[in-house]
Amino acid sequence: MATEATNGAVAPVQPVTFTGLKSQVFVEASKANDAVAFYKAAFGAEEVNRVTHPKRKADQELPLLLSAEIKLGSSTILISDLADDSTPPHSVKSTGLVFCLETEDIEAAVDKAVKAGAEGEVTEGEGAWFGGRVGKVKDPYGIVWLICTPAKKCGDVEA
């Protein structure tokens, strides 16, 4: 067990175990509902929970979507409206975040996303990620999704 020195005394450091990771995607205010619908149509996402702001703002027809929890495969993503008082600050437009979806049929997945309103292409060779085949999709909210086949498990490799 690791230890930590505190004022000369050594105390054991309790291990921390994480049970999961949820990414949160912020889209321009009042477009989170559309984003959820897009992810359902493009990627087959399933909405499992929704939290809306309890009060509507005067200049909005719909209440702000604080978070919609969607499942994509075994992963969970929160989709939220980005309001002026949201965290992260409204000035944050892109964090360089890219999601990678795994599937055995890259072409069908890219085609489905494009039909739902994304821009996309399939690349092969050196233009693709790690020299293989990969689909690249940019959704209507500016988020880039890579679509690739699951990684193959490698056995022992001799040098």
Side-chain angles (χ1 to χ4, degrees), residues 84-107:
D84 290 336
D85 57 353
S86 293
T87 301
H90 186 67
S91 62
V92 175
K93 294 289 184 185
S94 174
T95 61
L97 180 67
V98 175
F99 289 104
C100 185
L101 296 173
E102 294 181 335
T103 182
E104 293 294 339
D105 194 345
I106 295 170
E107 287 82 6

Side-chain angles (χ1 to χ4, degrees), residues 32-33 36 47 49-57 60 62-69 79-81:
N33 284 316
V36 170
E47 185 175 340
N49 192 23
R50 176 176 287 252
V51 179
T52 56
H53 195 283
K55 296 180 182 176
R56 294 178 359 155
K57 292 190 175 185
Q60 294 176 325
L62 299 172
L64 283 178
L65 181 56
L66 297 179
S67 68
E69 184 174 344
I79 311 298
S80 302
D81 278 319

Side-chain angles (χ1 to χ4, degrees), residues 6 10 15 23 27 32 42 45-46 64 78 85 103 109 120-121 133-134 138 144:
T6 309
V10 177
S23 299
V27 297
E46 173 192 354
L64 283 178
L78 302 173
D85 57 353
T103 182
E121 64 182 0
R133 301 187 77 236
V134 68
K138 184 174 181 182
V144 175

Side-chain angles (χ1 to χ4, degrees), residues 5-78:
T6 309
N7 295 329
V10 177
V13 177
Q14 297 298 320
V16 176
T17 303
F18 296 101
T19 58
L21 171 69
K22 290 182 183 180
S23 299
Q24 187 166 13
V25 173
F26 288 90
V27 297
E28 186 180 331
S30 79
K31 292 188 178 180
N33 284 316
D34 296 338
V36 170
F38 171 80
Y39 298 133
K40 287 179 179 180
F43 304 132
E46 173 192 354
E47 185 175 340
V48 294
N49 192 23
R50 176 176 287 252
V51 179
T52 56
H53 195 283
K55 296 180 182 176
R56 294 178 359 155
K57 292 190 175 185
D59 62 340
Q60 294 176 325
E61 194 171 307
L62 299 172
L64 283 178
L65 181 56
L66 297 179
S67 68
E69 184 174 344
I70 61 172
K71 295 279 287 180
L72 261 168
S74 62
S75 299
T76 301
I77 300 174
L78 302 173

